[in-house]
Amino acid sequence: MSRAIEQTASRRRTTCDTGCDTAPDAEQRLTVLARAHWPEHPADTVPPLPGFVQAGFNPLVAEVAARCLRDQQLSDPTRTGVLLASTRGDTLTPRLVAAALAEGRAVPPLLFYQSNPNAVAGQVAARWGLGGPVVCIAPPVGDPAATPTDLLLNTLADALSCAALLLADGEAEQLLVVAAEQRADTGEPERAVALLVTAEHPAPTDTTAPGARQHHPSTEEEKGSRA
């Protein structure tokens, strides 16, 4: 199922309207190195995620990311980033906070922490030792009557466009792209896809960046070049 969603989302990349694919170079082909999706079957579950309470969205992101990465040998984890995309985001945590405030109850501090999507994106990066950029985007809602599959397709299409830009700019060599949606009514996990992607022709490393190796010709090399 994840491959079909991925292919359809790739065809929709040119119609994304978040501004991610404004550069022509963003339409380079992406090579998919690994993929995973949730649910894999009707009885599929999402295990709890330590550090996140009463949550559905954050464990969903962490689980589909783990399914994508657990059997992979990353060429360079320090040059692998995380790109998380969701149109709805975490729909449950804001309701829990609002209910506690309305009833005069104390709000658990963890709810404020986990309401930021960067929290779980950073958790994924730390869990897998990824040192590349961590980016979160929220594509436009679009058609409110869209089916769950169409919603995820549009979310993934925007994510792939942004991933292409990051790779084209040399920000990373690989990106873990996660598109995840939570049910708006119950807050239960709905659908998620994770893709580990790289550019078909990776951008050259910026040799002027701090820490980059630079070759300085020796005196003998300079003499040889003049001969």
Side-chain angles (χ1 to χ4, degrees), residues 147-226:
T147 66
T149 298
D150 279 339
L151 182 65
L152 188 64
L153 284 171
N154 291 329
T155 300
L156 183 58
D158 272 59
L160 292 176
S161 290
C162 290
L165 270 182
L166 289 170
L167 293 170
D169 287 344
E171 295 292 334
E173 291 182 2
Q174 297 177 346
L175 281 172
L176 174 66
V177 178
V178 179
E181 297 296 346
Q182 191 175 21
R183 287 180 61 93
D185 51 356
T186 65
E188 292 297 316
E190 189 167 63
R191 298 193 179 195
V193 172
L195 303 174
L196 180 63
V197 301
T198 187
E200 188 174 27
H201 302 291
T205 302
D206 182 4
T207 57
T208 64
R213 290 188 176 183
Q214 300 186 41
H215 175 68
H216 299 283
S218 63
T219 303
E220 289 73 13
E221 289 175 320
E222 290 179 343
K223 290 179 180 178
S225 63
R226 297 194 193 102

Side-chain angles (χ1 to χ4, degrees), residues 96-110:
L96 294 174
V97 172
L101 292 175
E103 297 169 9
R105 294 183 286 107
V107 179
L110 279 178

Side-chain angles (χ1 to χ4, degrees), residues 17-225:
D17 53 359
T18 60
C20 285
D21 54 348
T22 54
D25 290 343
E27 289 308 313
Q28 62 178 305
R29 288 186 58 189
L30 297 178
T31 299
V32 178
L33 306 174
R35 56 177 59 81
H37 68 276
W38 191 96
E40 294 181 351
H41 51 81
D44 207 353
T45 59
V46 176
L49 181 63
F52 294 83
V53 297
Q54 297 178 287
F57 180 76
N58 302 292
L60 174 63
V61 172
E63 174 63 14
V64 75
R67 293 181 183 187
C68 185
L69 292 178
R70 63 168 51 110
D71 295 324
Q72 297 302 309
Q73 293 292 331
L74 300 177
S75 58
D76 185 358
T78 65
R79 295 273 296 153
T80 301
V82 178
L83 196 159
L84 171 60
S86 179
T87 297
R88 293 178 181 150
D90 184 349
T91 63
L92 179 60
T93 300
R95 292 211 306 271
L96 294 174
V97 172
L101 292 175
E103 297 169 9
R105 294 183 286 107
V107 179
L110 279 178
L111 291 184
F112 292 103
Y113 161 74
Q114 72 188 35
S115 65
N116 188 330
N118 285 305
V120 69
Q123 192 275 348
V124 169
R127 163 68 179 83
W128 298 96
L130 310 181
V134 176
V135 179
C136 296
I137 64 171
V141 175
D143 183 3
T147 66
T149 298
D150 279 339
L151 182 65
L152 188 64
L153 284 171
N154 291 329
T155 300
L156 183 58
D158 272 59
L160 292 176
S161 290
C162 290
L165 270 182
L166 289 170
L167 293 170
D169 287 344
E171 295 292 334
E173 291 182 2
Q174 297 177 346
L175 281 172
L176 174 66
V177 178
V178 179
E181 297 296 346
Q182 191 175 21
R183 287 180 61 93
D185 51 356
T186 65
E188 292 297 316
E190 189 167 63
R191 298 193 179 195
V193 172
L195 303 174
L196 180 63
V197 301
T198 187
E200 188 174 27
H201 302 291
T205 302
D206 182 4
T207 57
T208 64
R213 290 188 176 183
Q214 300 186 41
H215 175 68
H216 299 283
S218 63
T219 303
E220 289 73 13
E221 289 175 320
E222 290 179 343
K223 290 179 180 178
S225 63

